[in-house]
Amino acid sequence: TDGNVEKAPFHFDIHVEEFLPERLKIELDSPQAALTPGESLLIEATSAYLYGAPAGGNRFVASMVLTPALHPIAAHPDFHFGDASARFDNTPTEVLDATFDDAGKASTYVDLSQVPGDKGPIEVKILGEVSESGGRAVNKVLKRVIWPAPVLLGVRPQFDDDSAPGDSTAKLDVIAADAEGKRHAVTGVTVRVLRDWRDYSWYYRDDNSFDVSVISATTLVEERTVDLTADGRPFELEVPVKWGGYW
């Protein structure tokens, strides 16, 4: 415009006020570094405003999600532990809905007795959320692993993307380790190699389209006994493979 409101094509009035939203922080912790099957998880939450006052009276909600912990040991990041085919419902389950006390603290035990103990290491992920008076939420995540046995077997493929070439020899490194990453000597480990065989039959339909019929079967390819050492190079497992899936 030329500065003349009367000649302006349009105008819009706004009102500006200084507003500083509340700022919160939240800490989520547990004294348990690792869990055993059936053990409850103690979660401890602390929340405060950034200027120091406790967030007493604010709502605190905690939810839980379970996932397979396929690489739970930092000392052996490339090794797979547990059941790679295990699946869990990834829908968050609410485990606590409470308010912080006057000191800005809240805690509870999370019941894990129904978590299966035969799926290998399982990661328990707790999402803690505290809401400001304006409705905005501040989140924090706590992770712990359920370790189902004192020592577990770990497998590291020597091929990329978990896919070995067909009609070749697939090689894998095998170790035994505990939750702290210390390797252990284990004798008489039974190794079974299973092949997921599938046959596809295509047939023509009356409506000028094609359909497919799949026949599948799992067969035992090989079984052997191996010994694992506590140090040195991991045991190298060699498996002749064709096309298809193997377990």
Side-chain angles (χ1 to χ4, degrees):
T1 69
D2 61 359
N4 190 327
V5 175
E6 294 180 356
K7 295 182 180 181
F10 66 88
H11 70 276
F12 183 77
D13 296 328
I14 61 173
H15 183 66
V16 180
E17 291 183 351
E18 183 179 5
F19 174 69
L20 295 177
E22 295 175 320
R23 300 288 184 176
L24 285 172
K25 61 180 179 180
I26 180 175
E27 297 296 332
L28 198 58
D29 202 356
S30 174
Q32 299 155 277
L35 301 167
T36 57
E39 181 182 4
S40 296
L41 171 63
L42 173 61
I43 57 174
E44 300 174 334
T46 304
S47 182
Y49 295 99
L50 295 185
Y51 56 80
N58 286 58
R59 184 186 180 192
F60 173 66
V61 177
S63 301
M64 177 180 69
V65 175
L66 302 176
T67 56
L70 299 182
H71 306 281
I73 303 178
H76 308 293
D78 298 329
F79 282 83
H80 298 254
F81 289 83
D83 186 356
S85 64
R87 296 292 183 270
F88 296 94
D89 184 1
N90 59 6
T91 303
T93 301
E94 187 176 291
V95 295
L96 179 64
D97 188 343
T99 57
F100 286 105
D101 61 18
D102 293 341
K105 297 182 180 296
S107 64
T108 190
Y109 279 94
V110 179
D111 182 16
L112 301 174
S113 60
Q114 301 302 313
V115 178
D118 58 350
K119 299 298 184 182
I122 298 175
E123 182 180 78
V124 181
K125 182 183 298 184
I126 302 294
L127 174 63
E129 178 179 286
V130 58
S131 298
E132 299 177 344
S133 59
R136 183 176 56 183
V138 180
N139 302 317
K140 197 75 171 184
V141 175
L142 172 70
K143 298 179 181 180
R144 290 293 186 268
V145 174
I146 301 175
W147 196 262
V151 176
L152 293 179
L153 301 179
V155 178
R156 178 177 61 189
Q158 293 187 18
F159 41 85
D160 297 329
D161 301 325
D162 293 336
S163 180
D167 297 318
S168 66
T169 298
K171 297 181 179 181
L172 307 98
D173 297 327
V174 185
I175 62 172
D178 57 28
E180 285 72 39
K182 179 182 178 181
R183 287 175 55 184
H184 292 257
V186 181
T187 59
V189 176
T190 300
V191 178
R192 296 184 180 92
V193 181
L194 304 176
R195 184 187 181 192
D196 184 16
W197 177 86
R198 297 189 180 187
D199 182 57
Y200 298 85
S201 298
W202 291 89
Y203 59 92
Y204 185 73
R205 298 169 59 96
D206 294 337
D207 59 356
N208 297 326
S209 64
F210 286 88
D211 207 342
V212 63
S213 175
V214 181
I215 301 175
S216 63
T218 300
T219 58
L220 177 64
V221 176
E222 182 182 357
E223 181 173 342
R224 72 175 87 164
T225 301
V226 302
D227 297 330
L228 307 179
T229 61
D231 51 21
R233 177 172 175 76
F235 177 83
E236 185 176 76
L237 178 66
E238 297 185 354
V239 181
V241 295
K242 298 180 180 181
W243 62 268
Y246 284 81
W247 301 84

